[in-house]
Amino acid sequence: AQSVDQPDAHVTLYEGASLELRCSYSYSAAPYLFWYVQYPGQSLQFLLKYITGDAVVKGTKGFEAEFRKSNSSFNLKKSPAHWSDSAKYFCALDISNTGNYKYVFGAGTRLKVIA
Amino acid sequence: EAAVTQSPRNKVAVTGGKVTLSCNQTNNHNNMYWYRQDTGHGLRLIHYSYGAGSTEKGDIPDGYKASRPSQENFSLILELATPSQTSVYFCASGEGANTGQLYFGEGSKLTVL
């Protein structure tokens, strides 16, 4: 079965530090992976995606993510972190190549950046 | 710019009542989705659609119906609302290709008393 795991429900760090939010997935086919961000009281916004090619993908707002097939991970990174990065982050797996255009979301990681 | 709008944004309903959440997209996307977001669960897929006239069951369809009368509109219907359906509901549209991202609406907060 397809699944996405974000093992850290909460992450807190100081402004200026490096952030890395973890995401692992389970999927038998080639994964299409996404990160979305949800600011307080708002909807979800697209950050970046990995489809194929370079393992490191860059997205909006200075974020990047590294795809590692060896351990089925797709971690989100940013350095330095800013207080405005405080939000909830969701990792998602596109399982469209099963024939259904569906996405599986992780439970999310709530990031708090202390100024 | 891609746009997905939901209505109502806030709704209080009584147990046993009927609730309809509406979603409109101007993206001309074939695929539309309804998710609910609850603490600790992330987003869970309720129903989705590949185009006008089609609806598909997602991962948690029980207690919900969906309707896609046109390319632009996708509704989620709770015929007999229950307190367990209290949640925030998000509509999204997508291009339908393997590489497409989702565009989300602002969310509809439903409280069932």
Side-chain angles (χ1 to χ4, degrees):
Chain A
Q2 310 92 354
S3 66
V4 173
D5 182 43
Q6 293 181 249
D8 305 309
H10 298 273
V11 170
T12 301
L13 46 81
Y14 285 97
E15 194 172 43
S18 298
L19 76 84
E20 181 169 0
L21 305 183
R22 297 186 291 165
C23 171
S24 63
Y25 66 91
S26 175
Y27 190 45
S28 57
Y32 302 135
L33 295 157
F34 298 75
W35 277 99
Y36 290 85
V37 59
Q38 184 180 32
Y39 297 102
Q42 296 186 24
S43 187
L44 282 78
Q45 302 175 29
F46 169 77
L47 273 180
L48 50 78
K49 65 182 178 184
Y50 170 81
I51 303 301
T52 186
D54 292 340
V56 177
V57 292
K58 296 186 184 299
T60 60
K61 306 179 190 293
F63 285 92
E64 66 177 35
E66 182 176 8
F67 170 68
R68 289 189 176 180
K69 186 178 180 180
S70 59
N71 63 356
S72 300
S73 68
F74 187 55
N75 293 351
L76 183 69
K77 303 177 184 181
K78 183 179 180 181
S79 184
H82 189 264
W83 64 267
S84 60
D85 295 325
S86 298
K88 192 163 188 177
Y89 293 81
F90 292 93
C91 182
L93 169 67
D94 178 346
I95 61 170
S96 297
N97 51 18
T98 64
N100 295 308
Y101 293 122
K102 291 168 59 174
Y103 300 75
V104 176
F105 283 82
T109 297
R110 187 169 298 281
L111 173 67
K112 181 178 181 180
V113 180
I114 302 170
Chain B
E1 183 177 318
V4 179
T5 56
Q6 297 180 225
S7 63
R9 295 291 310 281
N10 286 283
K11 173 75 176 179
V12 178
V14 296
T15 298
K18 182 177 181 178
V19 176
T20 299
L21 304 180
S22 299
C23 179
N24 176 273
Q25 56 111 349
T26 59
N27 308 323
N28 197 32
H29 289 157
N30 287 329
N31 294 357
M32 295 186 75
Y33 307 81
W34 275 107
Y35 290 90
R36 63 178 284 176
Q37 181 179 27
D38 303 288
T39 303
H41 287 282
L43 274 72
R44 292 183 290 175
L45 181 63
I46 307 170
H47 284 287
Y48 60 107
S49 168
Y50 293 136
S54 95
T55 60
E56 305 288 338
K57 293 181 179 180
D59 301 320
I60 54 164
D62 292 345
Y64 302 92
K65 292 172 56 179
S67 174
R68 183 87 181 270
S70 64
Q71 178 82 339
E72 298 79 19
N73 295 295
F74 189 40
S75 298
L76 185 68
I77 303 155
L78 291 67
E79 295 278 6
L80 295 169
T82 68
S84 65
Q85 293 175 313
T86 293
S87 187
V88 178
Y89 293 85
F90 285 98
C91 176
S93 72
E95 295 162 337
N98 289 352
T99 60
Q101 71 189 71
L102 293 178
Y103 297 85
F104 285 87
E106 293 299 317
S108 296
K109 184 176 182 180
L110 172 65
T111 303
V112 183
L113 302 176

